Amino acid sequence: MASPLSRIFVLTGAGISAESGLGTFRDRGGIWDRFDPLRLATPEAFAADPDTVLDFYNWRRRNALAAEPNPAHRALARAEARLAAAGGELFLCTQNVDDLHERGGARGVVHMHGELLRARCTQCAHTFACRDDIARTDPCPRCARIGLRPDIVWFGEMPMHLEAIDAALARADLFVAVGTSGSVYPAAGYVAQARRLGIRTCEVNLEPSDNAALFDERRYGPAGEIVPAFLAAHGLG
Ligand code: APR
């Protein structure tokens, strides 16, 4: 018999990895305060200056590999396992491209903006696990041509796994957003989509996000403290 809350849709953003030492994007001093996304996170930027874009993601990949999961990642993984054992589901959709959810023990992580630890061939579209720096001259392991890029969704590109995400949201009892500013669509629109479906919504964040008014329940504080407390309060601690 699944718990009263049997299907939870959790959307995470950069804030859940902040206490692991990975910067967020829009906080003061965040990544987009220090770097220009138009020069580093668009297909046009990559076409114009691939070395600079590859260096930026090599730097972020090294940071992600040096970081450790925090109690928020681990609490979500425990809740995922408990719900699965009770016949329920915790669908973990992340905007993050680090692997801290996986290293925190989560099993089914859906990376809608791609993954730093995967590369993609621009010639044959082959994608593969990649923990090392990517250089412009590296050959694709499948077609041997050069032209590798990070398997990341850049601004102006279509996010990944959208059908699976919509299907999971449609079957959820609860929608929880953790550590996201609610600035980037389609992820920013999921809380409104949940409300239209009659699903209870909760924001767990350091401070109110852009769409805080759309949430039925709001918990504010560092994710490493409030995510475990929130899940425990719902019998999933
Ligand atoms: N605990 C919880 N929340 C936190 C913490 C923390 N320790 N630190 C920061 N936050 C919150 C901030 O208050 C903010 O609301 O995390 C949120 C981070 O927002 P953004 O920096 O905008 O990151 P995110 O919402 O993930 O951005 C979405 O934008 O640039 C693109 O592709 C990129 O996936 C990213 C997307």
Side-chain angles (χ1 to χ4, degrees):
M1 175 63 185
S3 74
L5 270 180
S6 54
R7 285 186 296 279
I8 304 180
F9 184 109
V10 178
L11 172 69
T12 65
I16 198 170
S17 297
E19 290 152 76
S20 297
L22 295 184
T24 60
F25 293 95
R26 294 172 185 81
D27 290 322
R28 199 170 313 107
I31 293 172
W32 298 146
D33 261 1
R34 292 177 286 150
F35 302 98
D36 179 356
L38 294 179
R39 289 190 55 244
L40 295 167
T42 66
E44 296 77 14
F46 181 68
D49 186 354
D51 291 328
T52 298
V53 172
L54 290 173
D55 285 348
F56 175 62
Y57 285 94
N58 290 339
W59 169 72
R60 289 187 59 197
R61 186 180 301 101
R62 282 184 239 120
N63 287 349
L65 287 169
E68 290 299 326
N70 66 55
H73 296 108
R74 300 190 193 287
L76 279 175
R78 286 194 301 275
E80 178 195 46
R82 283 191 67 165
L83 267 173
E89 173 188 39
L90 187 150
F91 186 90
L92 183 48
C93 173
T94 187
Q95 300 170 91
N96 299 342
V97 292
D98 60 63
D99 67 337
L100 295 180
H101 280 303
E102 291 86 345
R103 284 196 275 139
R107 306 292 296 274
V109 186
V110 176
H111 287 272
M112 65 182 296
H113 290 166
E115 298 177 65
L116 272 173
L117 302 189
R118 292 189 66 78
R120 187 193 315 167
C121 176
T122 59
Q123 307 300 313
C124 72
H126 176 54
T127 65
F128 55 97
C130 171
R131 301 172 68 83
D132 303 316
D133 285 3
I134 300 174
R136 185 152 52 107
T137 52
D138 289 343
C140 167
R142 184 166 76 177
C143 75
R145 288 172 282 182
I146 65 169
L148 296 181
R149 59 169 277 183
D151 193 24
I152 294 272
V153 177
W154 283 326
F155 289 105
E157 295 185 322
M158 181 63 75
M160 301 176 180
H161 314 298
L162 294 183
E163 281 184 26
I165 291 168
D166 283 344
L169 188 54
R171 60 177 182 263
D173 307 307
L174 178 69
F175 172 81
V176 186
V178 180
T180 181
S181 62
S183 311
V184 174
Y185 287 80
Y190 290 155
V191 58
Q193 196 170 329
R195 291 178 67 87
R196 283 193 297 273
L197 291 165
I199 297 168
R200 184 165 169 71
T201 56
C202 179
E203 173 166 79
V204 176
N205 211 52
L206 189 63
E207 57 198 12
S209 68
D210 295 353
N211 46 25
L214 294 177
F215 288 91
D216 301 309
E217 184 184 350
R218 299 166 220 169
R219 298 247 187 137
Y220 297 120
E225 289 167 30
I226 54 173
V227 169
F230 170 81
L231 292 168
H234 284 279
L236 295 167

